[in-house]
Amino acid sequence: MSLALPRLRTAPQHETATGTSAGRPGPAHHPPESARPALRGTRRRTVAALLGCAAVAAYTGLRMPSGWTATLQAVSLQDGFHRRFLIGSLLHPIASRTGYPYLLFAAVSFAVLAGLVAVLVCAAATTRHPARRYLVMAFLLLPTGGYLFHEVGYFDQVLYLLLFGALWLLARGRVHAAGLVVAAATTVHEITVLTVLPLFLLAAARTLPPRRALTAVLPATVAGLVVLLVPASSAGATGSLGGTLAADHFPVRTDALDLFGRTQTDSWQLFSPWEVLVFLLPLTVVLGAAVLCFARGTRLGGRPLALLSLAAALAPAALAFAGWDMERWAFLLIANFCVVTWFWLGERPSPARPFPYAAAAFALLLTVHVPLTYFDGYQPRELTGKAMSTFVDDVTSGRFTHTPTR
C-alpha cells in the first residue's frame, strides 16, 4: 500500500501513486530499459534495509499481547458495550463458539502489527523522496520502533492501519469510502478523535476543496460525538463478560473492564491530568516548533495548512485529560508528528533552505530523551550478546509464547 497523496491544490504537478499528474491524465514515467536492473537492485537493497530496521525494532520490544489488550479485544456490541466494540464484535461469532481462546486475540493482534509494519515498509520502499524513507527508518530505529512492537494488541495500531487505508482511498479519489473508514475507527477507540481524525482532515485539506474536505471528515466527526455521548456499556455488561472470560480460563483483566463503568470525572480521581500534561509539554513544544519550521521552509501550503499541520501533530497532547498512559500519549505524539512530516516531505523544501530537514531531524533526536516506559514491568531488550542469548532461549523454549499473567 502506498501512502502517496496528491500534492497541494496549488501545485502545477501532482504526485500520485501511479506516477501520473492528478487532474491531468497521462502515462506514468518509465525509466529506460537499461536502467531497470539497477533500479530493481536498489529497490531490493532498500527493502532489505527497511526490514533490518523493523527486525531491530521487533527484537527491542516484541512480546505477547497483554491480558489488558486481549480483554479489551473481547468487548463487543453483542455483550452490551457501546465503545471500543468493533474488533470484539467482529470476533464475537468465533470467540463465543470456541471459548474465547487467548490465542485468537493474540493472532489478530500480530496480524494488525504485521499489516502496519508492511504498510510502513512498502510506503518507504516505493516513495520518490529519500527523506521519507529515512524518516521511516529513523522511526523504527529510535525507541519509538521498539515501543511500536511492544504495543502489540493495543487499539492504537488498528487506528493507524485504518488511517493508512483511508489515505490510500483518498489518493484514489474515493473520498466517501475514506471518510467511512475513519468513521469506523471511532468504534475501535474513541481516541480516534485526537489521533487519526486530525491527520485525515489534514490529508483531505491538502488535496480537496475546503467544502469537500469538511464533507469527508463529517461521518467520523458525527460518529465520534455519538460514541462519546452514549453510555459506555449497558448495566451489568462488564460483570457478565468478566465472568464468562474467567470461566473460559482467559487472562481477563477486570481493571480493563472497569473502564466502562467509570465516568471521566471518576477517572480524574485516579490520576492528575495536569501531571500528564506537564510530562508531555516539552515534547509538544519541540514537535510543534519543528512542524512550523518545516511548513515555513516549503514553497507550497500557506498559513491555513501550516496551522492544520500543527493541530494534527499536537492533538494527541490533549489525551492528557483522557487517561494516565503518559508514555503512550508521548508515543502517539511522535507518531502523529512523523505522519505530518511525511506529508510535508512530499512538498520538496527549497534546496536553499535546508533548515526544515534539520528541524525535523533535531526534533526526532530529542525524542530519545523522552522515556517511553513499557507496560507491565517490561523493559526494552538491549543489543548485547547476553540479552540476545536470553531472547533466543525464550523463543526456542516456548517461554516467549506463554499466555501473559499481567
Side-chain angles (χ1 to χ4, degrees):
M1 178 186 292
S2 172
L3 300 187
L5 289 172
R7 286 193 188 179
L8 303 177
R9 300 183 300 277
T10 55
Q13 295 290 329
H14 300 265
E15 177 191 1
T16 67
T18 60
T20 63
S21 296
R24 204 166 50 173
H29 173 71
H30 295 289
E33 190 70 30
S34 59
R36 291 183 183 179
L39 289 175
R40 285 195 293 267
T42 301
R43 179 67 58 80
R44 285 194 293 267
R45 289 191 292 271
T46 299
V47 172
L50 288 164
L51 291 177
C53 294
V56 172
Y59 164 76
T60 302
L62 188 62
R63 58 156 175 168
M64 291 297 288
S66 67
W68 174 280
T69 62
T71 299
L72 289 179
Q73 287 181 0
V75 166
S76 68
L77 195 61
Q78 296 93 320
D79 288 317
F81 293 87
H82 310 137
R83 292 183 188 172
R84 312 182 192 183
F85 59 79
L86 182 60
I87 301 301
S89 298
L90 294 176
L91 294 177
H92 184 269
I94 300 174
S96 60
R97 287 173 172 78
T98 56
Y100 290 92
Y102 163 77
L103 290 180
L104 169 65
F105 299 94
V108 171
S109 299
F110 283 124
V112 171
L113 175 60
L116 191 57
V117 173
V119 169
L120 295 178
V121 171
C122 182
T126 57
T127 182
R128 298 178 182 180
H129 304 283
R132 284 179 161 180
R133 189 173 304 123
Y134 299 142
L135 174 67
V136 173
M137 290 181 176
F139 181 83
L140 291 172
L141 290 178
L142 290 171
T144 46
Y147 199 89
L148 172 69
F149 280 86
H150 172 72
E151 253 209 338
V152 61
Y154 276 82
F155 287 143
D156 309 345
Q157 300 187 352
V158 180
L159 299 184
Y160 284 91
L161 190 58
L162 289 174
L163 169 69
F164 296 150
L167 297 183
W168 184 85
L169 291 169
L170 187 64
R172 283 149 184 80
R174 302 177 65 179
V175 178
H176 296 300
L180 291 176
V181 169
V182 180
T186 63
T187 65
V188 175
H189 201 301
E190 61 272 17
I191 65 169
T192 295
V193 176
L194 293 173
T195 53
V196 302
L197 181 56
L199 294 173
F200 182 70
L201 174 59
L202 174 61
R206 295 174 69 249
T207 59
L208 299 173
R211 182 173 297 179
R212 198 172 184 207
L214 291 175
T215 302
V217 301
L218 182 60
T221 304
V222 173
L225 289 174
V226 170
V227 166
L228 290 173
L229 291 175
V230 300
S233 63
S234 58
T238 57
S240 175
L241 179 61
T244 300
L245 296 178
D248 287 323
H249 306 289
F250 187 89
V252 60
R253 288 278 298 268
T254 56
D255 52 342
L257 294 177
D258 289 342
L259 293 172
F260 296 90
R262 288 198 295 262
T263 65
Q264 191 59 56
T265 303
D266 294 334
S267 295
W268 286 341
Q269 303 301 317
L270 303 177
F271 76 103
S272 170
W274 296 109
E275 182 179 335
V276 180
L277 191 61
V278 168
F279 174 86
L280 296 175
L281 185 59
L283 177 63
T284 304
V285 172
V286 168
L287 298 183
V291 170
L292 291 178
C293 287
F294 215 99
R296 185 180 178 186
T298 55
R299 294 174 176 173
L300 304 173
R303 182 169 295 180
L305 282 175
L307 293 177
L308 271 179
S309 299
L310 185 67
L314 304 186
L319 291 171
F321 299 96
W324 51 80
D325 292 342
M326 53 189 180
E327 291 88 358
R328 182 176 161 211
W329 307 152
F331 171 75
L332 295 180
L333 258 174
I334 299 170
N336 270 35
F337 168 77
C338 287
V339 176
V340 171
T341 303
W342 173 280
F343 290 160
W344 282 104
L345 285 173
E347 304 303 335
R348 292 186 179 278
S350 170
R353 306 179 71 182
F355 75 89
Y357 293 109
F362 181 73
L364 285 175
L365 287 175
L366 282 181
T367 64
V368 175
H369 295 276
V370 179
L372 296 180
T373 307
Y374 286 2
F375 293 106
D376 307 318
Y378 283 89
Q379 298 290 334
R381 297 184 185 90
E382 299 174 345
L383 199 61
T384 63
K386 182 178 180 180
M388 295 180 71
S389 176
T390 301
F391 176 68
V392 171
D393 288 342
D394 288 342
V395 172
T396 55
S397 67
R399 288 193 299 270
F400 178 83
T401 58
H402 286 175
T403 301
T405 58
R406 50 182 171 173

